[in-house]
Amino acid sequence: AKNVLTDTLAILTSPEIKVGRKGTEDAEDDLVSANGSKPDQRNVHKLRLLTKISRKHLMEIVIPILCNLKTVLEGSHSPLLKNLMQYLGKIFRSYRSEVQEHLANDPTLLQELEYDTRQYEKKQKQRDRDSILQAEVVLDEATA
């Protein structure tokens, strides 16, 4: 189960599967290349509608499930919490205002998730700095 959840969260954080959130120009370019002609308004509106539906689904269905999963993983001190926080961080960076609006009725949970996301990002930056410093030390030893 651990491997399945790890793979699932890795796939969800992948930019290649991102639904919607493309710029309108990119979306129109995709429609032009698919149809070979200028996109009609119906296709543009359809794309916008699908984007709104996917965002609404994310806010109303996925976010509450992820919040419950976070609570369970924290309770069991699971190493999967790292992968979940990566995905939550991606969601917060992409849809910050929507997530804040959706979780407005539960300000404690919103603050907790924002705090956890900030802490996770700080740890990631520290790990990146440490790995860069370690690489510099190895290079210095190799040239000496």
Side-chain angles (χ1 to χ4, degrees), residues 28-29 31-32 35-41 43:
E28 288 177 4
D29 289 345
L31 289 173
V32 168
N35 296 339
S37 63
K38 184 84 173 139
D40 60 2
Q41 288 293 32
N43 286 338

Side-chain angles (χ1 to χ4, degrees), residues 72-89:
V72 169
L73 293 177
E74 281 179 337
S76 64
H77 301 289
S78 173
L80 294 172
L81 188 60
K82 175 183 82 164
N83 302 88
L84 179 64
M85 290 307 295
Q86 285 177 334
Y87 184 53
L88 283 171

Side-chain angles (χ1 to χ4, degrees), residues 53-67:
I53 290 171
S54 68
R55 191 176 306 151
K56 182 178 179 182
H57 175 74
L58 179 70
M59 294 303 129
E60 293 180 358
I61 306 296
V62 177
I63 294 290
I65 291 171
L66 293 176
C67 292

Side-chain angles (χ1 to χ4, degrees), residues 73-107:
L73 293 177
E74 281 179 337
S76 64
H77 301 289
S78 173
L80 294 172
L81 188 60
K82 175 183 82 164
N83 302 88
L84 179 64
M85 290 307 295
Q86 285 177 334
Y87 184 53
L88 283 171
K90 178 184 175 199
I91 291 173
F92 282 146
R93 284 187 298 276
S94 299
Y95 306 104
R96 190 166 226 29
S97 62
E98 289 96 338
V99 171
Q100 288 174 339
E101 180 181 313
H102 182 71
L103 293 178
N105 60 346
D106 192 353

